[in-house]
């Protein structure tokens, strides 16, 4: 809390230009109102450039400006065109045909063709790739390319969520030639609105407008992104007009933005969720009653109020508003320490146990505070929790290997529950090492929800899925929060969305 108070006090001060220049390592020159370059800042840098492999939010936010999927999800969670102009399912739901935008080009000048689409999905489906979204596309039996502008996906079964899955940057289309050369991830060649001209890891990215972008002219000629780990420094730079636009993660900083009349805060609820991930493959989390005891011992609202200033709401596994169950209807969402102690005793751990919880420094910035609150709460039932904070890239590596007792995480939401969770909770899920838990019920419910086309029946299936998942407690879902972006008042055109995407920066303009 001392660190948080220090940050809060700092963020209330407009730093002198010279001091700020030293902090940023640049000359303190205000941006001109007619600048063609958008000066932007965020606190976490990308961890890599391969769109098929990246899972960190910071990577996805960068790559979605460079690469494009076949379709996108808009601010209302509707599927809209991207590389594909149109698409159609066959009557039996087992064939999905796309017509590509004839103007789509990669940033090396080559046209985007059906061959690139086929090669991209074959790469995603290849287990050797280690693609983050592989499990979303296992219904693809084969892919035909009858002409350069047409792609036909033949599915082994009806697959309602596959379109939503195809809207993700983890399903971006990359050049077939780059795949063959093995150069995907060593350089960034997409068909999106911006080219990556320069990347100095943990320091700066320089993007220029892709003049061949099929989506039309961008609103700015380029974007220069500064990586400033301390978000109070980002806010100070905005107050002195050095930064036009910023992605903020820390609610302690974001809630100060409206106090400055020259700045605008964009704040929208998101589908991403804060969660305490247990590792059910490690004793004593292998015991159902131990996991349930942990769930009963945690006061989710207290975690939210303490770590995130109450900026959000307690959530169950499903965060899509139209499908989410009222958390009060889920297992042990009202804290019950006595029940937790009883469950621990029944599991043979009346005296508690020791474990380590890992978290990433700065992503989310609430991670350390969440861990501290949970540490205090679990101590009441004898669980001695050691907190281990890691640099983001180290944390992601450990997380992907499932190398933890418990983990504080902020995981991405999706517009469809199957797309959101199948990689964790199905037997074919490619992030099984992260989840370390599956049962026949979860797998069956996921498969039923995947194939069901009736919206009411789908909702009922996923309501049962959510209830069961909360009850078996492999993870302890905490809360959803907001996406925060801050901008100068002369920046126009940015549209925040529940997915947290920054894609609308492609149409942002700097007003006179």
């Amino acid at each position: 809390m001392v660190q948080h108070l220090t940050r809060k006090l700092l963020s209330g001060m407009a730093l002198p230009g010279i001091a700020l220049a030293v902090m940023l390592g640049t000359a303190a020159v205000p941006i001109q109102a007619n600048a063609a370059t958008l000066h932007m800042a965020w606190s976490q840098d990308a961890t890599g450039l391969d769109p098929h492999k990246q899972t960190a939010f910071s990577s996805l936010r960068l790559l979605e400006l460079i690469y494009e999927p076949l379709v996108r999800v808009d601010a209302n969670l509707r599927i809209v065109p991207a590389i594909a102009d149109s698409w159609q399912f066959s009557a039996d739901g087992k064939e999905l045909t796309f017509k590509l935008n004839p103007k789509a080009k990669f940033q090396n000048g080559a046209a985007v063709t059906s061959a690139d689409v086929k090669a991209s999905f074959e790469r995603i489906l290849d287990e050797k790739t280690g693609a983050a979204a592989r499990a979303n596309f296992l219904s693809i039996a084969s892919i035909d390319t009858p002409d350069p502008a047409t792609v036909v996906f033949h599915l082994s079964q009806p697959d309602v969520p596959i379109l939503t899955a195809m809207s993700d940057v983890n399903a971006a289309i990359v050049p077939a030639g780059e795949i063959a050369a093995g150069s995907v991830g060593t350089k960034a060649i997409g068909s999106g609105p911006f080219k990556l001209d320069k990347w100095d890891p943990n320091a700066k990215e320089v993007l220029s407008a892709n003049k061949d972008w099929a989506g039309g002219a961008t609103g700015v000629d380029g974007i220069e992104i500064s990586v400033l780990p301390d978000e109070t420094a980002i806010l100070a730079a905005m107050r002195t007009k050095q930064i036009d636009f910023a992605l903020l993660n820390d609610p302690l900083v974001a809630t100060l933005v409206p106090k400055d009349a020259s700045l605008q805060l964009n704040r929208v609820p998101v589908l991403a969720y804060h969660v305490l991930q247990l590792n059910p493959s490690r004793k004593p989390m292998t015991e159902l009653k131990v996991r349930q005891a942990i769930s009963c011992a945690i006061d989710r609202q207290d975690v939210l109020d303490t770590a995130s200033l109450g900026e959000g709401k307690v959530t169950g596994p499903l965060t899509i508003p139209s499908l989410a169950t009222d958390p009060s209807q889920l297992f042990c969402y009202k804290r019950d320490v006595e029940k937790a102690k009883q469950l621990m005793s029944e599991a043979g751990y009346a005296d508690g146990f020791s474990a380590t919880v890992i978290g990433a420094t700065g992503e989310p910035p609430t991670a350390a505070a969440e861990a501290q609150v949970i540490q205090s709460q679990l101590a009441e039932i004898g669980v001695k929790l050691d907190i281990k904070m890691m640099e983001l890239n180290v944390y992601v590596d450990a997380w992907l290997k499932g190398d933890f007792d418990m983990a504080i995480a902020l995981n991405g939401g999706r517009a469809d529950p199957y797309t959101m969770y199948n990689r964790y909770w199905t037997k074919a899920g490619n992030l099984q090492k992260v989840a370390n838990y599956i049962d026949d019920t979860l797998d069956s419910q996921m498969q039923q929800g995947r194939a069901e086309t009736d919206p009411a029946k789908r909702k009922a299936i996923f309501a049962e899925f959510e209830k069961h998942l909360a009850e078996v407690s492999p993870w302890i879902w905490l809360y959803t929060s907001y996406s925060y972006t801050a901008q100068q008042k002369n920046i126009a055109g940015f549209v925040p969305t529940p997915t947290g995407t920054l894609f609308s920066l492609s149409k942002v303009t700097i007003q006179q």
Side-chain angles (χ1 to χ4, degrees):
M1 290 306 295
V2 173
Q3 183 183 6
H4 286 160
L5 288 173
T6 302
R7 293 211 313 270
K8 190 171 182 179
L9 289 170
L10 279 172
S11 63
M13 300 184 293
L15 299 182
I18 294 176
L20 184 63
V22 172
M23 182 184 295
L24 301 182
T26 58
V29 180
I31 293 170
Q32 301 300 313
N34 60 353
T37 296
L38 184 78
H39 290 255
M40 180 177 156
W42 53 33
S43 59
Q44 288 284 353
D45 199 6
T47 58
L49 297 178
D50 188 333
H52 296 159
K53 296 182 181 182
Q54 295 304 304
T55 58
F57 281 108
S58 52
S59 298
L60 302 179
R61 296 296 81 90
L62 174 66
L63 296 176
E64 67 196 4
L65 299 175
I66 301 165
Y67 290 95
E68 286 189 298
L70 285 167
V71 292
R72 289 193 184 87
V73 171
D74 69 9
N76 297 309
L77 302 181
R78 296 174 302 197
I79 304 292
V80 297
I83 285 177
D85 270 343
S86 63
W87 52 91
Q88 185 173 359
F89 279 102
S90 60
D92 64 0
K94 296 174 69 173
E95 195 173 275
L96 177 57
T97 302
F98 288 90
K99 292 290 185 181
L100 307 185
N101 185 333
K103 297 180 180 179
K105 287 185 178 181
F106 289 112
Q107 291 145 5
N108 59 9
V112 180
T113 70
S114 56
D116 301 302
V117 176
K118 181 177 181 179
S120 295
F121 277 93
E122 288 178 344
R123 181 175 190 261
I124 291 168
L125 287 166
D126 185 347
E127 285 191 71
K128 295 178 183 177
T129 302
R134 178 178 177 271
N136 291 336
F137 304 111
L138 296 181
S139 66
I140 297 174
S142 62
I143 306 170
D144 285 340
T145 55
D147 61 65
T150 306
V151 186
V152 183
F153 291 87
H154 299 281
L155 310 178
S156 59
Q157 65 172 76
D159 191 343
V160 173
I162 196 168
L163 260 181
T164 303
M166 288 176 167
S167 71
D168 200 285
V169 72
N170 283 146
I173 307 306
V174 300
E178 299 299 320
I179 295 173
S183 56
V184 178
T186 61
K187 50 186 175 179
I189 301 177
S191 61
F194 294 98
K195 302 177 184 179
L196 180 62
D197 294 331
K198 184 179 182 182
W199 180 33
D200 293 333
N202 299 313
K204 190 175 189 178
E205 292 95 15
V206 178
L207 305 172
S208 62
N210 175 14
K211 303 299 183 183
D212 292 327
W213 183 43
T218 57
V220 293
D221 290 338
I223 303 176
E224 290 189 5
I225 306 172
S226 297
V227 181
L228 304 176
D230 186 346
E231 291 193 359
T232 57
I234 294 176
L235 183 54
M238 295 198 75
R239 285 172 169 155
T240 56
K241 308 296 183 186
Q242 291 192 316
I243 298 296
D244 293 314
F245 185 93
L247 173 64
L248 300 174
N249 293 309
D250 192 340
L252 290 166
V253 175
T255 51
L256 296 174
V257 173
K259 297 180 180 180
D260 193 312
S262 68
L263 301 178
Q264 174 182 322
L265 178 69
N266 305 310
R267 173 182 178 270
V268 296
V270 290
L271 302 178
Y273 55 93
H274 295 251
V275 64
L276 173 66
Q277 295 183 194
L278 309 182
N279 186 340
S281 71
R282 290 190 180 180
K283 293 183 178 182
M285 271 79 72
T286 50
E287 299 295 324
L288 171 62
K289 289 184 177 180
V290 168
R291 301 196 304 270
Q292 289 181 329
I294 292 170
S295 179
C296 293
I298 289 178
D299 185 333
R300 294 160 172 86
Q301 187 65 49
D302 186 36
V303 177
L304 168 58
D305 291 342
T306 304
S308 200
L309 298 181
E311 282 282 291
K313 64 179 182 179
V314 171
T315 188
L318 295 186
T319 61
I320 304 151
S322 62
L323 296 175
T325 299
D326 179 349
S328 68
Q329 305 301 309
L330 299 174
F331 176 81
C332 228
Y333 259 67
K334 181 178 181 181
R335 192 183 193 214
D336 190 335
V337 175
E338 291 309 310
K339 183 175 181 177
K341 289 179 177 178
Q342 180 183 341
L343 287 164
M344 288 284 283
S345 179
E346 291 174 1
Y349 290 90
D351 296 330
F353 61 90
S354 298
T356 299
V357 61
I358 66 170
T361 302
E363 190 169 297
T366 54
E370 288 172 26
Q372 289 162 11
V373 176
I374 291 170
Q375 180 188 53
S376 175
Q377 292 177 354
L378 293 186
E380 294 183 45
I381 63 168
V383 177
K384 303 172 186 67
L385 206 56
D386 179 48
I387 299 171
K388 184 177 182 181
M389 300 302 294
M390 304 171 165
E391 291 300 318
L392 179 60
N393 60 335
V394 178
Y395 170 89
V396 169
D397 185 55
W399 186 84
L400 287 171
K401 292 176 181 176
D403 186 15
F404 54 83
D405 298 332
M406 304 182 193
I408 295 290
L410 173 60
N411 290 346
R414 299 292 188 273
D416 188 276
Y418 181 84
T419 309
M420 186 167 170
Y421 281 126
N422 81 85
R423 54 187 178 169
Y424 300 115
W425 311 118
T426 64
K427 293 177 180 179
N430 55 287
L431 291 184
Q432 265 290 297
K433 285 185 179 179
V434 177
N436 281 298
Y437 180 85
I438 191 61
D439 62 35
D440 291 339
T441 300
L442 287 176
D443 187 77
S444 175
Q445 289 167 336
M446 284 259 91
Q447 302 309 331
Q448 290 174 48
R450 178 191 196 181
E452 181 57 63
T453 58
D454 182 275
K457 292 179 180 178
R458 271 194 113 222
K459 183 172 183 177
I461 290 168
F462 283 115
E464 288 301 312
F465 162 80
E466 183 171 30
K467 179 181 177 182
H468 179 69
L469 191 53
E471 187 170 342
V472 295
S473 306
W475 295 354
I476 313 302
W477 279 261
L478 301 171
Y479 64 95
T480 56
S481 53
Y482 298 92
S483 73
Y484 303 104
T485 54
Q487 63 187 63
Q488 302 291 343
K489 288 288 181 69
N490 66 329
I491 303 301
F494 180 73
V495 180
T497 79
T499 60
T501 177
L502 298 180
F503 175 73
S504 66
L505 286 176
S506 60
K507 295 299 182 181
V508 157
T509 58
I510 303 174
Q511 304 296 308
Q512 296 292 331

